[in-house]
Amino acid sequence: MVANKVPDPRYFLPNSPITQVQCFADNSLSDIKFGTYTEYVSHCQKEVLAVFQDDVLSRLPNPVIEVEMEELYLSKISHMNIILSETSQNLKIFREHGSELACQTKIFFTVVRRMQLRHYMNSSRQKTRAMNMFKRLFEQVDVLITPTTACLPKQIDPASLAHGELDESNALYTMWFVYLANLCGLPAVSFNAGYSPGGLPVGVMVTAPWWKEDVLLRVAKCLETPLRKPQRHYQSLP
């Protein structure tokens, strides 16, 4: 959540707009234009895709607008480069605790230490391209709607509890949709969308333009309310 603050040179946007929450009480989504990218979503497991299409998209008041998203693979690689580079730099002060890091974390940091400055700069340029893509996208729709993850929750292997595991495939599909909002600094919200035939939860994520957290809260409230609750449920909203 953001609000007006006294201008501070440490902020990139010191005069950030006030987030409005008056529309939070509005239970209608008839004025919201939802967009999705079918080719992007089609990489989900079939159980996730079924919940997304049958339990979410089918209940929206307006037809979903098909949008196009470019250079997703390049943005994914850039996101990884930026996150690992900045984290690795900040972890220098914790070198004495390096032995406590999990094996997969050590591997990531070993790889990123071989990166050069030009790799980080190129990744930052790709981040700018991704942000410009979203600027164009949000000229067509109010929010982007996707599953939260492209796969169902994975059962924890007891052998991984002691030392962790490096499961690149699971990590890829877990982060399939969420990395873009993190890379571009976009507000997004995830909530339960339904359940697989085996009872595993399936999430949906809604991403909005910068400073539009009020739209996210409204959409999440309207879409989450009618869903079937699990046996153990904790109400987080009034």
Side-chain angles (χ1 to χ4, degrees):
M1 302 296 290
V2 295
N4 276 351
K5 297 180 179 181
V6 176
D8 189 325
R10 294 175 299 177
Y11 296 131
F12 290 107
L13 294 173
N15 296 318
S16 55
I18 298 176
T19 297
Q20 305 292 336
V21 294
Q22 288 87 341
C23 66
F24 185 62
D26 189 348
N27 292 320
S28 172
L29 298 177
S30 59
D31 61 326
I32 300 295
K33 293 185 292 185
F34 289 86
T36 195
Y37 183 27
T38 302
E39 182 179 347
Y40 189 34
V41 173
S42 65
H43 291 274
C44 293
Q45 291 180 351
K46 60 180 182 179
E47 297 89 348
V48 175
L49 189 59
V51 171
F52 179 67
Q53 293 176 338
D54 300 339
D55 295 348
V56 180
L57 297 188
S58 63
R59 295 193 293 106
L60 297 178
N62 301 315
V64 179
I65 299 173
E66 182 70 17
V67 299
E68 292 188 3
M69 304 173 69
E70 308 92 13
E71 302 178 350
L72 296 178
Y73 180 74
L74 290 176
S75 295
K76 186 186 297 291
I77 298 300
S78 298
H79 175 256
M80 180 180 67
N81 289 345
I82 292 172
I83 293 295
L84 289 178
S85 296
E86 295 178 352
T87 305
S88 178
Q89 289 299 313
N90 291 328
L91 278 176
K92 286 183 177 180
I93 60 176
F94 301 111
R95 284 179 178 174
E96 64 271 20
H97 300 289
S99 60
E100 301 175 16
L101 297 176
C103 293
Q104 64 270 29
T105 306
K106 293 179 181 178
I107 293 174
F108 288 142
F109 285 149
T110 299
V111 171
V112 79
R113 288 192 186 102
R114 297 185 178 274
M115 288 176 54
Q116 300 178 4
L117 178 60
R118 60 186 177 89
H119 297 139
Y120 182 83
M121 296 302 297
N122 287 336
S123 296
S124 298
R125 293 188 183 100
Q126 181 59 35
K127 173 181 177 178
T128 300
R129 292 174 65 88
M131 295 175 71
N132 289 332
M133 176 198 69
F134 272 109
K135 289 179 181 178
R136 296 190 298 270
L137 186 151
F138 287 126
E139 291 176 355
Q140 307 173 55
V141 298
D142 296 312
V143 295
L144 176 71
I145 186 167
T146 65
T148 303
T149 64
C151 59
L152 294 172
K154 177 187 174 183
Q155 184 174 1
I156 298 176
D157 185 349
S160 67
L161 295 177
H163 304 290
E165 65 177 2
L166 181 59
D167 188 339
E168 296 179 349
S169 177
N170 185 67
L172 172 67
Y173 284 104
T174 299
M175 295 289 293
W176 191 263
F177 299 106
V178 300
Y179 76 93
L180 279 171
N182 185 267
L183 174 66
C184 299
L186 290 163
V189 62
S190 173
F191 51 90
N192 191 321
Y195 301 89
S196 71
L200 294 174
V202 176
V204 66
M205 185 175 75
V206 180
T207 306
W210 297 272
W211 317 116
K212 292 295 183 179
E213 288 90 341
D214 58 316
V215 177
L216 292 179
L217 292 174
R218 176 182 163 194
V219 170
K221 178 186 177 184
C222 292
L223 292 182
E224 186 180 31
T225 300
L227 294 174
R228 175 173 61 88
K229 294 181 176 59
Q231 292 182 352
R232 179 176 296 180
H233 174 74
Y234 300 94
Q235 185 70 29
S236 58
L237 294 174

